[in-house]
Amino acid sequence: MLPETLPVRPQLDLLRPELLHTAALYRLIDRSRAGLEPWMEWVKQIHTEKDVHRFLFDAIRFNEGQQRCTFLVRADQQIAGLVSLVRIEWDHHRAELGYWLGSGFQGRGLATQSCRRLLSYAFEELCLNRVALRSTQDNQRSIALANRLGFTAEGQLREALLKEEAYQHLQLFSLLRREWKTKKI
């Protein structure tokens, strides 16, 4: 079972999702829709609080089944976004990092700090060896975040994402536990 919270710094923590967060998360997604849609395909499927309720229900279930490790980002007592480890493969000690912040919370270092805390949890508590990160080649903010966190660029997955009826390349990055311990970013 995931801890209820992972402290990051004063006024910033990672919070285990609960159904009681439905309304706040829906409002955040709805207010941030224009900024999220270019990067997050799932936003187009969120139309009501019921859609977010289903998402949170699944997140809780996947957390309990250890298939994912999802936390809400809480900044200044407000839901600010989400960070997660997805595609967890326990047999191979690897996962993939996912994250997003609402538009009013971007540009303040919250994504970097929240991802850094989740990576610490991944390597030190979950004993993962490798965390990957994928980004479209035009998402410069995501690529910059990967670099700030010490990820290594591994290459490109050519035409791996169909977006708006056009194939896009994905940039692939990874961070290994031994690199994390050495760099302690």
Side-chain angles (χ1 to χ4, degrees), residues 2 6 8 14 69-71 82-86 96-99 112-126 128 131 180:
L2 293 179
L6 291 177
V8 179
L14 306 182
C69 181
T70 299
F71 287 96
L82 183 142
V83 293
S84 63
L85 297 170
V86 299
E96 189 170 318
L97 179 65
Y99 49 88
T112 302
Q113 294 169 51
S114 297
C115 288
R116 184 177 292 132
R117 180 62 180 99
L118 186 57
L119 288 167
S120 176
Y121 183 73
F123 291 127
E124 296 169 16
E125 302 296 321
L126 300 179
L128 295 180
V131 176
W180 177 257

Side-chain angles (χ1 to χ4, degrees), residues 77-163:
Q77 299 302 312
Q78 298 177 68
I79 301 299
L82 183 142
V83 293
S84 63
L85 297 170
V86 299
R87 296 182 180 98
I88 298 174
E89 294 183 38
W90 294 108
D91 291 346
H92 301 287
H93 304 131
R94 66 183 177 208
E96 189 170 318
L97 179 65
Y99 49 88
W100 63 269
L101 289 177
S103 55
F105 296 95
Q106 296 174 10
R108 299 172 23 194
L110 301 178
T112 302
Q113 294 169 51
S114 297
C115 288
R116 184 177 292 132
R117 180 62 180 99
L118 186 57
L119 288 167
S120 176
Y121 183 73
F123 291 127
E124 296 169 16
E125 302 296 321
L126 300 179
C127 299
L128 295 180
N129 183 60
R130 173 189 164 89
V131 176
L133 184 157
R134 297 178 194 208
S135 173
T136 56
Q137 62 188 16
D138 59 339
N139 190 341
Q140 294 305 311
R141 292 180 93 173
S142 192
I143 291 169
L145 176 68
N147 290 325
R148 278 193 304 277
L149 292 170
F151 279 75
T152 298
E154 290 190 337
Q156 185 178 80
L157 301 172
R158 300 177 321 130
E159 296 185 2
L161 179 70
L162 180 61
K163 185 174 166 186

